[in-house]
Amino acid sequence: MLTVSEALDRAQMLCDAAAKAGADAADALYYCNAATSVSMRLGALEDVERSEGQDISLRVFVGQRSASVSTADMDAGELAKLVTRCVAMAREAPEDPYAGLAPEELLFKGAIPDLDLDDGSEADPQALREAALAVEEAARAVAGVTNSEGGSASHSRTRFALATSHGFLGGYGSSGHSLSASVIAGEGANMQRDYGWHSAHHLADLESVDDIGTRAGTRAVARLNPGKAPVGKLPVILDPRISGSIVGHLLGAIAGPAIARGTSFLLGKEEHMLFDSGVVIRDEPHRARGLRSRAFDGEGLPTAARDIVADGKITGWLLDTASAKQLGLTPTGHASRGGGASGVGASNLHLAAGSATPAALMEGIAEGVYITELIGHGVNPVTGDYSRGASGFLIRDGAIAGPIAEFTIAGNLIDMFAALIPASDLEFRHGTNAPTLRIDGMTVASS
């Protein structure tokens, strides 16, 4: 694996070579990941995986024409051929009036801050094996657990570097640690599966094997003997492990490319009160040790904290350079790159906590559903229509009354946003985080 400095040199070399080959502008992105994972099942070693992959992508512009190529071959001769081929492709490409690098005057400048994304650790297969075994044992120790799909532990290191021909050069490295367990409760036709999982940049921030394993086992046992869900328009409560998906649907609807294509259900609703006035959804790219923290975006623009929902309204679109040009706006530092053309993405998103506890949100619900798992992808990004399979628990007289399965919830995201009430139990565990959410008036149907 290259160091960040070596990766930056490689990316800059490609940009310089593209300019010499006749490109008017270029950028190069280097990405490398090395990962080790160990899986245990029923106390025995099941799998050990070690992978290391690197990729460098070159994007060149000749006038308003552009082309992109990528390779995993870092040989100098092969990289020279890649540059020649990419410039030749760009000369033959159709013109795109929105193609181009980010505006030079908006580029990130100065020293890149240390967001503490790398704990300096190296993979230790023996320690991973012990952790995978311990997390599975903790899950299997829960009364009612009868079988296991295994426990796993992993370690990873990544390197990212971006260079542009008009003056940006930046990169960073990160480490990653994860633990998971998946177990089965019950026997025969009455078996239920569930899991526990956590990941972090620093090993010190990783949840304990006992907590993850016990949660996996407890969840599986709690799902035994599910009944039928009630039907009709009912209050729905979303568990924190799936409530962040609502934020994800909002993110897709305010992404610049969707707005430029006219394929978002939020078009024309920029000034509407979409949420209760107390709801805040915030993007925090500079959070120390955040899973999606970054000082600059995929085009070299600086990132900054921003409320994407405040006072019940969205505060604007999330724009890369191409979509900003199409809309006559300024890019917002939300470009994401995986090689080739950029897309749009946020960093560490969260829906701010409310004042009521989850128990208080449940009070007063004569009959409703508490959802712990969503199935399928039945969301229409153009209309906002929402319909997904689900499982979870019945709520009766303000309390959990037993597991339910094989039902659907449906509504429209506009109505769901308006009805959304957050609880007070926000935790920062994932890239997108939300507390327990209550949404009244959703249509529940049981199969």
Side-chain angles (χ1 to χ4, degrees), residues 79-447:
L79 291 177
K81 293 177 185 177
L82 177 128
V83 171
T84 302
R85 184 167 67 251
C86 193
V87 173
M89 290 168 57
R91 291 194 174 109
E92 301 301 322
E95 290 193 350
D96 178 356
Y98 308 116
L101 299 179
E104 184 174 354
E105 66 275 12
L106 298 181
L107 290 175
F108 181 100
K109 297 177 177 64
I112 294 173
D114 180 8
L115 300 178
D116 199 16
L117 305 182
D118 194 336
D119 65 3
S121 60
E122 297 293 339
D124 181 343
Q126 183 58 36
L128 293 175
R129 177 171 178 162
E130 292 170 359
L133 177 62
V135 75
E136 186 195 35
E137 286 182 339
R140 293 176 66 196
V142 175
V145 170
T146 55
N147 206 338
S148 173
E149 293 184 335
S152 66
S154 69
H155 173 279
S156 65
R157 301 293 298 278
T158 63
R159 297 285 182 266
F160 177 91
L162 175 67
T164 74
S165 59
H166 64 344
F168 177 80
L169 185 65
Y172 54 85
S174 65
S175 55
H177 305 266
S178 70
L179 269 174
S180 66
S182 176
V183 291
I184 296 167
E187 299 282 356
N190 183 34
M191 290 193 297
Q192 295 290 332
R193 168 198 170 275
D194 217 311
Y195 66 93
W197 173 82
H198 191 222
S199 66
H201 282 303
H202 284 241
L203 182 61
D205 296 335
L206 198 62
E207 200 173 4
S208 74
V209 292
D210 287 340
D211 287 346
I212 295 170
T214 301
R215 186 166 64 250
T218 302
R219 284 175 170 173
V221 172
R223 296 177 68 161
L224 287 172
N225 303 306
K228 289 281 189 179
V231 297
K233 288 192 174 294
L234 299 169
V236 166
I237 291 187
L238 302 178
D239 186 86
R241 71 167 168 169
I242 49 103
S243 60
S245 64
I246 299 297
V247 181
H249 298 315
L250 171 73
L251 191 68
I254 63 174
I259 301 303
R261 291 193 302 266
T263 57
S264 168
F265 67 92
L266 291 183
L267 268 174
K269 296 181 173 61
E270 298 92 314
E271 299 301 322
H272 290 208
M273 285 284 292
L274 296 173
F275 297 83
D276 180 86
S277 60
V279 171
V280 173
I281 299 178
R282 187 166 176 80
D283 184 16
E284 291 188 330
H286 297 171
R287 186 188 302 146
R289 303 190 183 186
L291 290 180
R292 296 181 188 160
S293 293
R294 56 182 186 171
F296 56 89
D297 76 351
E299 296 179 321
L301 298 186
T303 57
R306 167 182 164 183
D307 290 340
I308 64 173
V309 169
D311 299 322
K313 299 179 181 180
I314 55 175
T315 60
W317 313 126
L318 306 186
L319 303 170
D320 62 351
T321 295
S323 61
K325 286 181 179 179
Q326 287 177 268
L327 296 168
L329 299 170
T330 301
T332 59
H334 288 93
S336 62
R337 286 285 302 282
S342 67
V344 166
S347 60
N348 304 299
L349 277 173
H350 74 271
L351 193 157
S355 57
T357 65
L361 279 192
M362 208 178 299
E363 287 178 4
I365 296 179
E367 190 171 59
V369 294
Y370 185 99
I371 299 175
T372 57
E373 184 176 30
L374 290 168
I375 304 161
H377 303 281
V379 181
N380 187 321
V382 179
T383 65
D385 289 337
Y386 181 102
S387 179
R388 299 188 68 181
S391 63
F393 298 87
L394 173 67
I395 301 171
R396 181 169 287 140
D397 298 328
I400 296 293
I404 51 178
E406 298 181 353
F407 63 96
T408 61
I409 57 169
N412 185 276
L413 286 167
I414 293 290
D415 299 328
M416 293 165 64
F417 291 164
L420 182 152
I421 304 171
S424 59
D425 57 341
L426 176 68
E427 294 183 352
F428 294 97
R429 293 177 55 85
H430 311 294
T432 298
N433 297 282
T436 300
L437 301 177
R438 174 171 169 169
I439 303 174
D440 286 3
M442 295 197 70
T443 299
V444 179
S446 184
S447 58

